[in-house]
Amino acid sequence: MTPENGTAPNDRNVEVASAPAAPMRWDGWGDPARAESLPFAVRSLLPLVVGRVRRPPAGPVLEDVHVEATALTPDDIAAFTALLGAQHVRTDAESRIRHAGGRSTPDLLRRRQTAQSAPDAVLQPAGHDEVAACLRIATERGLAVIPFGGGTSVVGALEPERGAHRGVVSLDLGRMSGLLQYDAVSAEAVLAAGTSGPEAERLLAGHGMELGHYPQSFRYATIGGFAAARSSGQNSAGYGRFDAMVTGIRVATPTGDLELGRAPGSAAGPDLIRLFLGSEGIFGVITEVRVRVHPVPAERLMESWSFPDFATGAAALRAVAQHGGGPTVIRLSDETETGVSLAQVGRIGRALAKGASAVTVFEGDDVAGRRARTAELLQGAGGTSLGEGAAEDWLRTRFDGPYLRDALLDAGVFCETLETATTWSRLPALREAVTAAIKDGFSEVGRKAFVMCHVSHVYPTGASLYFTVLAPLGSDPLTAWAGVKHRVGDAIMAAGGTISHHHAVGRDHAPWLSEEIGETGIRILAAVKRELDPHGVMNPGAVLGPATPAPVSTKA
Amino acid sequence: MTPENGTAPNDRNVEVASAPAAPMRWDGWGDPARAESLPFAVRSLLPLVVGRVRRPPAGPVLEDVHVEATALTPDDIAAFTALLGAQHVRTDAESRIRHAGGRSTPDLLRRRQTAQSAPDAVLQPAGHDEVAACLRIATERGLAVIPFGGGTSVVGALEPERGAHRGVVSLDLGRMSGLLQYDAVSAEAVLAAGTSGPEAERLLAGHGMELGHYPQSFRYATIGGFAAARSSGQNSAGYGRFDAMVTGIRVATPTGDLELGRAPGSAAGPDLIRLFLGSEGIFGVITEVRVRVHPVPAERLMESWSFPDFATGAAALRAVAQHGGGPTVIRLSDETETGVSLAQVGRIGRALAKGASAVTVFEGDDVAGRRARTAELLQGAGGTSLGEGAAEDWLRTRFDGPYLRDALLDAGVFCETLETATTWSRLPALREAVTAAIKDGFSEVGRKAFVMCHVSHVYPTGASLYFTVLAPLGSDPLTAWAGVKHRVGDAIMAAGGTISHHHAVGRDHAPWLSEEIGETGIRILAAVKRELDPHGVMNPGAVLGPATPAPVSTKA
């Protein structure tokens, strides 16, 4: 990113001091100090929704987990050490286990096993040039590379898969954190790819600005991960998907670098930034991201709504998306999710537990006007205003879902989420098809599933659907879930949905990508990968699935 | 595009009847009946701005233009005729001359020569399948293919360049016109790629909807051309660039087809639609485009503004772009353009001829509120409201610029436009650098240039700059302009601009693309082209420049 405009508070390749967050639990979500048991309200509800469950045996403590000895040779380690320093080439068991996958429910279930697969080493480059050098060394030596940001993938993008190579390293971008440039006039900031969500917001707040990107993984996920996975945050109605926030990127690939993004609008050929957004490390590593920022909102208004049913609520959200009421957040829970949410806050039995509830939040300029226009559209479409209460509840607890999942798993309840999107006209049928696929899949293995759904991202032409699934954990939850996911993927394709709206492809969704983009689409991605990564070291198996082995170097 | 949703008024491969527009002048812009001489106001102003000019000799009439005999063999013609029918394989001189280029000023100057280059034939497929078959035949026979929509390219994208091949055909999509699907719930329409701007709006108006994409080429340009060139229209502040309107595409390439776009938001790998937007026919042919549409606006408000100078006006537009006043159109003319515009409407000498003038237009929902919020921002930034007058003048004449250019050329005045974009912080220096490059370039060949500039597309992080150049035509205007364009391209790159905001790359801007996207970026585009078009028949020389000849078939 050219530095002539705006301030450049840090040299580009220098590690930026940042407030260290406590490392995430190795075998669950988030802050270890916050691990909690199941709230009473949830515990009392469980028998109604999934029947009786049995508490499973506890998983191993970290010290008891077995991983194989590293496949890296002393020569490999010496090459990386000469570049990064010994303290940034980790081969100890704990470092390797902490980089052994993401945070999907299958990931967490695998952490409950004693023998686990793990990358052969963890590399910690300090900046773009060190990343580029790591990729060259890995290519020369025939080692696969898995880029690692916050470790929050829920689609298997961080599996330590070596493909046809003799070893695999995790490339942890955690040292690459900081605000590298800030341009107040253009309202743009360049952030190092390893900067976490909270750290990015802390740094921008120093200039009175914010990014406003709040996916549920916000507290741990990184700027580079948001870009590589095409993330979408809870404020997407107001500030857009992460795709829309990105105005430039810097990328290191095994065979060359890129700096893209000279103007907010361009017709200088295809927009190559979009080829790296969603590439999940299969072409190279996004090292810096230029983003559009906006002033920290001075005002926030919110309002909750109730609709007689999901279909009425969805039509109301569509009216807002197509006529521009202007909410920052707009979400609609289906009848099932509405019932459980109200139960959780102790409101069972109130009349409003029926129907579908929605939340709207307004931040920034003209909040009162936007709330009024949105309210007029929602009311005109059959909604009833419930005031601020439920919206405040949602806002307060919006990052806490993953903690509840850990407590449910401990109690013997399988809990996972999945998501898709489609046009407004296909949305009702897609919701029914996915719900049925989940229930049928669990029913086939003799379990009752409880399925909740919400719409949390709206566009003029369509919307996302986000499902939360509860079921008894049973004896082999990994196999049971694999069967369910297979049915769901097929159901999404048949109903005209996308295989992912914001979780990305990783390895879990790769089997459906050829149906989504066609064989010619797959050929395009494979051709780009061959050009940039001719030996196939970058994240093998992600996005494109297990490929024909590329020629690999035999140097060891 | 899957047909299960929305109405499908026409079979996909059937020619759709459409109101035929009068064919464009072969040697100038637009409706031959509207060709006009120079208005008195302009004629009286010319000596002041470019000095004395001499009327050049008139160009040839169509019948006197010489083109070489077609390079196609009887076998080639028989193969295309078997597919399309004899009436849709044109080798007559008039058809070939009418497809011999676009509508840049150099294109028009070349039409004033007696000997002209032209494609060897014009093919007129009726739909996607015929396009795909044409590409296969051309590949087998070693013939280059130039996709042709409205013929309005101003960057040399339609040059009849054969590259390493023995012949070149123009693939005219004019028969592929129509609304193929309409989904009222999702507010989406599928249009055949050859549908012209006015025809698309006529068809959508039948459903009460519009696309709202109004580039200056609107009356002749096509939906496929808007997509292939990443067009941006005058209403971009309200409805976005054409990029943003596209929700799906169907593409034929020499080696396979694509249908892309299952959902308005997706994280299913990189967004491949964006690889075809801006591809200008080098990978294949966009045959169908799915677009977001909106209700025909019931209301329109407008307001004109005056600022003390361009810098103040640009800062005011920035405030509107960053704080969301919500105009549908917002434009700012610099002091020079403001002075001439006022002169043209006979207002010389009024106090307001000084400074920089702006136009705002509001259409759709909440127009009064949006005008009030925009006015507050513009006034707060130093603007003075001038009421509706000048905005109405602009709206009435906004598609007429190209007619004036023909009259100027006839009178001996060179007239051309060019454009770029960058961030707000770089905008003032970019405007100065481009203006200086134009003036210096003409000065070097002893001519005085008059340069006007306006901002017509704004984003939160930056804006476009659009320049209009007048100069004496002189004895060799093509060589003189080539020298100026070379200086301008270099100046844009040095000042951090993009080589094109909405005219695209074509052949004219190809020399600067490697500086814009880097050598690695060029390698990516070349790899995709090799994969989809292994013999390099698609629009050779466009975007990527003259390439190393690809292996070509020798069958004849």
Side-chain angles (χ1 to χ4, degrees), chain B residues 384-397:
Chain B
T384 305
S385 172
L386 303 183
E388 300 207 337
E392 278 173 350
D393 289 345
W394 171 78
L395 206 61
R396 201 182 53 248
T397 60

Side-chain angles (χ1 to χ4, degrees), chain A residues 2 5 183 185-186 230 241 255 257 262 266-267 269 318 322 365 425-426 497-498 500 520 523 530-531, chain B residues 2 5 183 185-186 230 241 255 257 262 266-267 269 318 322-323 425-426 497-498 500 520 523 530-531:
Chain A
T2 43
N5 282 284
D183 177 346
V185 172
S186 310
R230 299 183 70 191
R241 298 169 62 82
T255 60
D257 293 355
R262 288 182 153 248
S266 173
R318 175 166 68 88
Q322 292 181 344
D365 298 306
S425 61
R426 286 179 178 142
T498 176
S500 175
T520 307
R523 282 171 48 214
R530 273 196 309 276
E531 178 67 29
Chain B
T2 43
N5 282 284
D183 176 346
V185 172
S186 309
R230 299 183 70 191
R241 297 168 62 81
T255 60
D257 293 355
R262 286 180 154 248
S266 173
R318 176 166 69 87
Q322 293 181 343
H323 293 277
S425 62
R426 286 179 178 143
T498 176
S500 175
T520 309
R523 282 172 49 216
R530 273 196 310 277
E531 179 66 30

Side-chain angles (χ1 to χ4, degrees), chain A residues 118-458:
Chain A
D120 294 300
V122 178
L123 309 179
Q124 300 172 323
H128 175 91
D129 294 344
E130 288 191 2
V131 170
C134 284
L135 302 189
R136 282 192 298 269
I137 294 171
T139 300
E140 278 166 23
R141 296 182 164 270
L143 300 172
V145 179
I146 318 287
F148 191 99
T152 60
S153 170
V154 292
V155 292
L158 303 175
E159 285 290 291
E161 184 172 335
R162 64 189 61 188
H165 306 285
R166 65 181 171 83
V168 53
V169 296
S170 176
L171 193 78
D172 186 322
L173 306 179
R175 290 174 68 209
M176 294 164 56
S177 176
L179 176 62
L180 306 182
Q181 288 175 40
Y182 172 65
D183 177 346
V185 172
S186 310
E188 279 190 332
V190 178
L191 291 157
T195 314
S196 71
E199 178 63 3
E201 293 299 9
R202 190 187 71 77
L203 291 164
L204 291 168
H207 297 278
M209 305 299 272
E210 72 156 16
L211 183 53
H213 182 69
Y214 298 111
Q216 199 174 49
S217 60
F218 166 74
R219 287 180 180 150
Y220 293 90
T222 59
I223 296 297
F226 295 151
R230 299 183 70 191
S231 174
S232 192
Q234 292 157 350
N235 293 1
S236 64
Y239 307 127
R241 298 169 62 82
F242 198 73
D243 289 6
M245 299 180 186
V246 175
T247 60
I249 52 171
R250 193 175 186 200
V251 181
T253 83
T255 60
D257 293 355
L258 292 114
E259 280 202 43
L260 298 169
R262 288 182 153 248
S266 173
D271 182 355
L272 293 182
I273 293 175
R274 302 297 186 123
L275 197 59
F276 289 91
L277 302 182
S279 64
E280 302 184 52
I282 65 168
F283 301 145
V285 180
I286 297 169
T287 59
E288 298 175 11
V289 183
R290 183 145 42 85
V291 287
R292 177 189 79 198
V293 296
H294 57 261
V296 173
E299 280 189 278
R300 176 190 277 162
L301 293 178
M302 55 192 88
E303 188 162 12
S304 308
W305 292 83
S306 176
F307 294 91
D309 51 42
F310 178 79
T312 306
L317 264 64
R318 175 166 68 88
V320 172
Q322 292 181 344
H323 293 278
T328 307
V329 176
I330 188 163
R331 306 166 64 87
L332 171 73
S333 294
D334 74 355
E335 295 85 347
T336 316
E337 188 171 284
T338 298
V340 171
S341 301
L342 292 170
Q344 271 190 256
V345 294
R347 297 182 189 173
I348 290 182
R350 283 176 60 169
L352 295 172
K354 294 219 179 295
S357 64
V359 165
T360 56
V361 181
F362 304 84
E363 295 179 354
D365 298 306
D366 187 33
V367 287
R370 285 155 53 208
R371 184 172 70 172
R373 287 191 297 281
T374 302
E376 191 184 335
L377 289 163
L378 293 177
Q379 198 160 8
T384 305
S385 173
L386 303 182
E388 299 207 338
E392 277 172 352
D393 289 345
W394 171 78
L395 207 60
R396 200 180 56 248
T397 60
R398 61 186 170 151
F399 299 123
D400 295 345
Y403 286 106
L404 183 59
R405 177 179 58 166
D406 285 329
L408 286 164
L409 290 173
D410 287 342
V413 180
F414 179 91
C415 171
E416 182 57 304
T417 64
L418 56 86
E419 39 77 65
T420 179
T422 193
T423 56
W424 288 111
S425 61
R426 286 179 178 142
L427 204 69
L430 178 60
R431 175 168 159 266
E432 282 170 29
V434 173
T435 304
I438 296 169
K439 292 190 171 180
D440 291 352
F442 274 108
S443 169
E444 198 175 51
V445 292
R447 290 176 218 166
K448 181 184 167 193
F450 184 76
V451 183
M452 301 175 277
C453 179
H454 64 244
V455 173
S456 44
H457 305 271
V458 300

Side-chain angles (χ1 to χ4, degrees), chain B residues 327-405:
Chain B
T328 306
V329 175
I330 187 163
R331 308 166 63 89
L332 171 73
S333 293
D334 73 355
E335 294 86 345
T336 315
E337 189 171 285
T338 298
V340 171
S341 301
L342 292 170
Q344 271 190 259
V345 293
R347 294 181 192 174
I348 290 183
R350 283 176 60 168
L352 294 172
K354 294 220 176 294
S357 63
V359 165
T360 55
V361 180
F362 303 85
E363 294 179 354
D365 297 305
D366 187 33
V367 286
R370 285 155 54 206
R371 184 173 69 172
R373 288 191 297 281
T374 301
E376 192 185 335
L377 289 163
L378 293 177
Q379 199 161 9
T384 305
S385 172
L386 303 183
E388 300 207 337
E392 278 173 350
D393 289 345
W394 171 78
L395 206 61
R396 201 182 53 248
T397 60
R398 61 186 171 152
F399 299 124
D400 294 345
Y403 286 107
L404 182 59
R405 177 179 57 166

